Amino acid sequence: MRNDVLSATGIDCSYGPVQVLFGVDLRVGPGELVGLCGPNGVGKSTLLRVLSGLHRPTAGRVELFGADVTGVSAVRRVRLGLATVVGQAAFGSLSVLDNLRLHGYALRPAQAHAGVDAALAVFPRLAQRAHQPAATLSGGERQMLVLAKALIQRPRLLLVDELSLGLAPIVVGGLLEMLRRLNATGMSVLVVEQSVNVALSLVDRICFMERGAIAAEHRPQDLAARPELVRSLMLGGHA
Ligand SMILES: Nc1ncnc2c1ncn2[C@@H]1O[C@H](COP(=O)(O)OP(=O)(O)O)[C@@H](O)[C@H]1O
Ligand SMILES: [Mg+2]
């Protein structure tokens, strides 16, 4: 569709001689919150790297906001309005504020400044800890910092890889609420989640990967009464 914020078609991708993605098709519409689930090692993170421009596919096409970006660098994609959240990386010895400022490097100074203010407004907990070294944050606060960094760019599309990994359920709940609020402001979101229950509670639509391709796509309400289907989709090989 012409007005998709993200459209990937026929994506093949390899690490050296080993092919891990096989003709992946995936789209995210304006304002949509889409989940991507599937067994470990199926290629979810690799797909996000292809979408963000960090890994070049051997075949296929990636479009962002209606433009072909297949050969476009990761930095250019950021400037187009794409942000990617992966892991919990932060510079531990730097303050929360300096971590945020550092992340505005690709932006003009005034833009970066406004972006930092906007990100801290979304996360008052971080604002309180602005001058504290990032290493002293709790797991959940560190994840907030990772999200806040992405928000500095004021993205139109946010890609999130395993936000809930290693966090207590209560912390995950708070972060999901943040994602929901960002989505409610019109930001489109694609979230990779290893917990299918987390994904189902959050998304408009959920895609399941199997053997390096999208195997199924459902709306959460259609899966509510079908735990055996969800289980087989998460184990792979039975879809
Ligand atoms: N940097 C890499 N070099 C070689 N193989 C990799 C690399 N990263 C991932 N892989 C392999 O690619 C496959 C898909 O990995 P990944 O995309 O991380 O899956 P997922 O995120 O779904 O767990 C796995 O078999 C993994 O071992
Ligand atoms: Mg992964």
Side-chain angles (χ1 to χ4, degrees):
M1 251 182 283
R2 277 269 159 247
N3 67 344
D4 282 343
V5 295
L6 168 72
S7 155
T9 41
I11 301 293
D12 289 355
C13 183
S14 303
Y15 293 105
V18 182
Q19 188 172 350
V20 298
L21 297 181
F22 299 84
V24 173
D25 294 326
L26 184 74
R27 50 165 294 271
V28 177
E32 245 194 328
L33 209 174
V34 177
L36 183 63
C37 283
N40 257 334
V42 81
K44 304 180 295 296
S45 296
T46 301
L47 179 58
L48 285 205
R49 280 201 288 277
V50 167
L51 298 178
S52 58
L54 296 174
H55 199 91
R56 188 157 294 218
T58 51
R61 176 183 172 96
V62 180
E63 288 182 20
L64 281 176
F65 318 111
D68 183 352
V69 297
T70 313
V72 165
S73 73
V75 170
R76 295 263 326 264
R77 293 185 204 198
V78 167
R79 292 195 183 129
L80 286 174
L82 175 70
T84 309
V85 170
V86 180
Q88 304 193 9
F91 294 100
S93 61
L94 295 184
S95 72
V96 167
L97 189 58
D98 285 341
N99 267 283
L100 291 174
R101 284 177 177 148
L102 201 61
H103 207 74
Y105 70 91
L107 305 172
R108 288 190 200 87
Q111 235 183 333
H113 196 82
V116 169
D117 287 348
L120 286 175
V122 174
F123 295 102
R125 280 269 285 276
L126 287 183
Q128 285 163 16
R129 289 158 176 74
H131 301 289
Q132 186 171 315
T136 63
L137 298 178
S138 71
E141 289 164 354
R142 209 164 304 163
Q143 206 60 296
M144 285 178 199
L145 177 56
V146 170
L147 263 182
K149 285 198 293 190
L151 297 187
I152 291 172
Q153 303 154 213
R154 306 211 216 172
R156 290 188 280 164
L157 171 63
L158 183 62
L159 308 180
V160 184
D161 199 355
E162 308 259 21
L163 187 66
S164 74
L165 198 66
L167 295 177
I170 180 122
V171 176
V172 174
L175 288 170
L176 295 186
E177 193 46 45
M178 288 295 165
L179 278 187
R180 232 180 248 121
R181 273 168 47 191
L182 292 173
N183 178 242
T185 68
M187 194 185 294
S188 309
V189 182
L190 174 65
V191 55
V192 170
E193 221 350 289
Q194 102 281 7
S195 161
V196 70
N197 290 327
V198 165
L200 287 173
S201 70
L202 183 70
V203 302
D204 302 317
R205 187 156 61 81
I206 184 165
C207 300
F208 291 91
M209 282 186 84
E210 185 185 308
R211 285 185 239 108
I214 305 292
E217 185 184 315
H218 294 281
R219 301 210 164 259
Q221 57 267 35
D222 301 334
L223 292 175
R226 307 182 66 187
E228 74 300 334
L229 175 60
V230 172
R231 202 165 56 241
S232 71
L233 288 168
M234 288 307 288
L235 291 173
H238 302 284

